[in-house]
Amino acid sequence: MNKMVVVTGATTGTGYCVAQKFAANGYDVCITSRDQARAQEAAARLKAENDGKIETFGYGLEVLDEPQMAAMFDDLKQKGHLVSTLVLVAANMGINMPNFLEVDFKDWIRVIDTNIGWNFMFCRQAAKHMLQLGGGAIVVIGSVNGIRTTKNRSAYCTSKSGLHGLARNLAVELGPCHIRVNTVVAGGIKTARYYARPEIQNSPHNKNPLGDIAEFQDIANAAYFLADNEQARIITGAELAVDGGSLAQFVYEEEGIKLSDGTVIAD
């Protein structure tokens, strides 16, 4: 029987590329999304890409619905699959939110709930399967914004910092159970949004010593390395930066804090 990986937020982009990487290495793959139809379509596409040699599953899940999530893991078990690996890609980016002084708390906490609370639930449910297997691996796709910060992104930066902390804690708590937990600290990634917006391409936050930012495959390669029990068998609680060296350099941002009426309150 093949090993089983669950990849969250894997219908497109980084998540789908992560799913492809594991599939190419013989894993059966479960793709999750908030959209059931998209998850099932992505799962079917992934199986076709691998000539039907692996099994794939797609599930639509609601944020913070842990009973629904537990039912998914139970369904996989009934189908003969215990999950050995979990890769957490799905995130609420908190894009276009007002600055800290103006953001609605309900919008702010929704990002926290998704990026910390929901991922906590995924880890807990997956770990129950891994205990039955005698061990496993959890890989968190974190962000340089969990280490440094960006204006008007307080929810996202706070949530990613908290997610990094959760991963370190779980590495300690689950280590005696032979469950390794590590974080890929992702820098800029060439998403569709990146290509569509020159201001993002020219942002100082996407300028790094290597002069390039990550493709989806770069994140997938790092996630697979940390999940692999032969290559990374003694690695847990680690944070692997895939950022072109951006965390190693100082970035000066000249722009002040702007309110919605255009007023600059700091510079």
Side-chain angles (χ1 to χ4, degrees), residues 2 108 115 216 226-227:
N2 294 339
W108 192 90
N115 295 350
F216 297 140
L226 290 174

Side-chain angles (χ1 to χ4, degrees), residues 8-143:
T8 72
T11 60
T12 188
T14 301
Y16 189 74
C17 193
V18 169
Q20 288 178 310
K21 179 70 176 182
F22 280 85
N25 283 277
Y27 278 71
D28 293 326
V29 181
C30 172
I31 287 173
T32 76
S33 170
R34 300 176 201 183
D35 186 315
Q36 174 85 12
R38 291 186 66 193
Q40 291 178 336
E41 185 280 329
R45 180 167 21 113
L46 185 64
K47 185 169 186 175
E49 288 174 0
N50 288 272
D51 300 322
K53 295 178 181 178
I54 60 167
E55 289 194 67
T56 61
F57 307 90
Y59 293 86
L61 300 175
E62 294 294 328
V63 175
L64 297 183
D65 189 337
E66 191 167 13
Q68 182 191 39
M69 185 188 298
M72 179 197 79
F73 279 96
D74 287 343
D75 188 48
L76 289 172
K77 183 178 179 179
Q78 290 175 6
K79 292 174 179 175
H81 296 277
L82 285 171
V83 174
S84 64
T85 307
L86 171 67
V87 184
L88 298 168
V89 182
N92 185 330
M93 300 294 290
I95 296 172
N96 298 324
M97 294 176 67
N99 68 73
F100 174 74
L101 296 177
E102 297 180 321
V103 65
D104 188 303
F105 180 72
K106 291 180 181 179
D107 294 332
W108 192 90
I109 202 66
R110 189 176 298 116
V111 178
I112 305 298
D113 284 343
T114 302
N115 295 350
I116 301 178
W118 203 23
N119 284 327
F120 168 86
M121 294 175 184
F122 266 112
C123 291
R124 177 155 64 186
Q125 294 303 320
K128 292 177 181 179
H129 274 220
M130 295 174 189
L131 288 173
Q132 297 176 62
L133 290 169
I138 297 172
V139 179
V140 171
I141 305 301
S143 171

